[in-house]
Amino acid sequence: MKTLYVLMIAILLVSCGPSAEQITATAEMAQAQTQTAAPTLTSTPTLTPTPTLTPTITPSPTPSVPYVQGRIQINFIPADDKAIVPQPPHEITLNLVRDDTDIDVQAATSDGNFSTNLEPGEYTITSITIQNDALNPEEFRIFTNQPEFTVPSQPCFHAGTISFYMIRLPPGTLEEQTSIAQQATNREFVLIKYSESGGVLMPAFVETTGAGNCPDLPNLPNNYDWNYLPESSIAIPSPSNWYFLSEQNQSTWSYFISKEEIIDGGYFQTGLSIYVMLDESKSAVDFVTDFPPFIINQENITSSTEVETWEDEKLAYSEFQVEASGQLFDFTSHYLLVGNKETNAQYIFIFEGPTDRWDDAWADGNFLMENLQFLESK
């Protein structure tokens, strides 16, 4: 369901007052949304009022946990239409070197988060090891272009989101894959990691974003973990066995925390979508009041609560909930919009799930939104 919202938000943010054609296009895209279950909805849906959510603003972070934290994302780029892109979850090990000492860091399987004790100093990422049967039956070690990061002496350091991009070759012989890699790079000499089911061109390209000191976050129940998003100055909890995905499109960061794995086409049934936009041409305060009508007035919306708005010294909020009809099942979406008066950042939080299972889904969704942390440092 995330693909729909990325397109919808792109249209609505073109101007503070979209044209009739833009609104129509938005409604049509909402109706085109696809899901994978078929619950029933009464003919006169009634929404249960929900308590107003006021996210916490965390004071300037005071690190207290002596760990290096971060997140690993694996991105396979198919060399041609025959290449098979392995789907997560991946078992990932980050291979580091410091002062000629090899250090392996194991990442969490579901979302790529990792935390470990590392001494202050300079570290080089020499390779990653991936275990995924769709990639290769055995462990698959892929060398990188040796990016470096520095661990400072603070008690906690967030290494950021470390994204690995690699070209996945189609099944075939070593000679066939080498030839395809040569054509893709326009180079005679190429280095590949061979696998009969499809090798990988090396080294992998690596991008690191959002590094910085960790905030001092409250303790969570045992079945929840923090998702710290330093590039967007927020932290949000999620159930430990849920999935996480992030994307960046121009000036928008998008994050998805979902109960189901985000499958081909970009859809999930139950989960939280977060969009963070930095657009100096628009007022973040106006955004939180202008955006709700465009959602509520879509043709597939069958019921909605009243929009609640409020402000504090630094943030403006609006909150509402809708029920909507989909092609395969009806769904409920709870919206929280936040505008930062100082930075003009605009935040959209959408928790959604099948309407006939909404009470169970909202038990998690309400916890996520009530414990959302805005970090004062940015």
Side-chain angles (χ1 to χ4, degrees):
M1 293 155 84
K2 70 183 181 66
T3 301
L4 161 74
Y5 288 117
V6 172
L7 294 172
M8 180 178 65
I9 289 164
I11 288 177
L12 294 181
L13 293 181
V14 169
S15 66
C16 290
S19 66
E21 291 80 8
Q22 289 174 324
I23 296 173
T24 300
T26 301
E28 289 174 349
M29 282 188 288
Q31 289 179 303
Q33 181 165 318
T34 59
Q35 300 94 13
T36 55
T40 58
L41 180 68
T42 59
S43 58
T44 55
T46 302
L47 293 181
T48 302
T50 54
T52 298
L53 304 176
T54 304
T56 303
I57 299 180
T58 301
S60 298
T62 305
S64 60
V65 182
Y67 289 137
V68 172
Q69 302 175 354
R71 178 180 293 114
I72 300 174
Q73 282 199 167
I74 303 296
N75 304 278
F76 290 100
I77 304 168
D80 58 24
D81 57 4
K82 296 180 181 179
I84 302 169
V85 175
Q87 297 299 317
H90 311 290
E91 293 184 18
I92 306 167
T93 301
L94 195 63
N95 311 125
L96 309 175
V97 170
R98 176 179 180 268
D99 297 335
D100 297 325
T101 300
D102 293 327
I103 303 168
D104 293 336
V105 175
Q106 182 73 41
T109 301
S110 60
D111 58 10
N113 286 324
F114 67 87
S115 61
T116 186
N117 288 298
L118 290 176
E119 294 291 332
E122 299 284 339
Y123 289 82
T124 300
I125 304 173
T126 58
S127 62
I128 54 171
T129 302
I130 304 174
Q131 177 66 61
N132 185 328
D133 290 342
L135 176 63
N136 194 61
E138 307 295 333
E139 286 188 342
F140 209 66
R141 187 174 184 182
I142 302 167
F143 292 96
T144 72
N145 56 353
Q146 297 192 350
E148 296 181 350
F149 64 89
T150 302
V151 177
S153 57
Q154 284 88 347
C156 182
F157 173 71
H158 197 286
T161 298
I162 305 173
S163 300
F164 294 86
Y165 299 86
M166 57 201 80
I167 296 178
R168 169 73 158 169
L169 302 169
T173 65
L174 175 60
E175 291 74 17
E176 290 171 336
Q177 292 181 18
T178 299
S179 176
I180 292 171
Q182 290 171 331
Q183 295 175 26
T185 61
N186 198 27
R187 294 179 181 176
E188 183 176 352
F189 176 78
V190 293
L191 180 64
I192 70 170
K193 175 73 172 184
Y194 175 71
S195 171
E196 183 178 352
S197 60
V200 170
L201 182 65
M202 295 192 295
F205 172 74
V206 184
E207 179 185 43
T208 301
T209 56
N213 294 336
C214 304
D216 187 12
L217 297 170
N219 293 327
L220 291 172
N222 290 334
N223 57 332
Y224 283 87
D225 295 316
W226 280 110
N227 281 286
Y228 172 41
L229 312 175
E231 62 276 352
S232 296
S233 301
I234 54 178
I236 192 162
S238 65
S240 302
N241 60 344
W242 284 26
Y243 295 88
F244 177 89
L245 177 69
S246 68
E247 296 177 348
Q248 184 179 19
N249 181 14
Q250 296 180 346
S251 60
T252 302
W253 277 97
S254 305
Y255 308 94
F256 308 98
I257 301 171
S258 60
K259 184 176 182 179
E260 303 85 14
E261 182 180 346
I262 299 177
I263 60 175
D264 293 342
Y267 298 101
F268 59 84
Q269 291 186 29
T270 304
L272 177 67
S273 302
I274 305 169
Y275 304 95
V276 183
M277 295 152 288
L278 297 173
D279 188 347
E280 295 299 330
S281 67
K282 307 185 194 315
S283 164
V285 175
D286 291 342
F287 164 77
V288 301
T289 56
D290 291 345
F291 191 78
F294 300 125
I295 300 298
I296 294 173
N297 293 329
Q298 291 173 25
E299 292 182 6
N300 69 324
I301 300 300
T302 57
S303 182
S304 65
T305 61
E306 291 189 7
V307 179
E308 297 185 40
T309 60
W310 70 101
E311 296 185 20
D312 58 29
E313 183 180 352
K314 296 183 178 180
L315 302 174
Y317 308 86
S318 66
E319 182 184 8
F320 62 100
Q321 186 169 299
V322 300
E323 285 186 353
S325 58
Q327 287 183 346
L328 297 180
F329 69 83
D330 301 324
F331 60 96
T332 300
S333 301
H334 193 101
Y335 284 77
L336 175 66
L337 311 178
V338 183
N340 189 310
K341 301 177 185 178
E342 295 182 349
T343 66
N344 208 50
Q346 300 145 30
Y347 298 83
I348 303 175
F349 301 88
I350 311 167
F351 187 87
E352 56 192 338
T355 298
D356 72 339
R357 300 196 297 272
W358 178 248
D359 288 345
D360 290 338
W362 185 238
D364 285 311
N366 192 40
F367 182 85
L368 268 59
M369 287 197 175
E370 283 192 335
N371 289 278
L372 165 67
Q373 305 280 319
F374 280 86
L375 307 178
E376 196 177 47
S377 58
K378 291 187 180 180

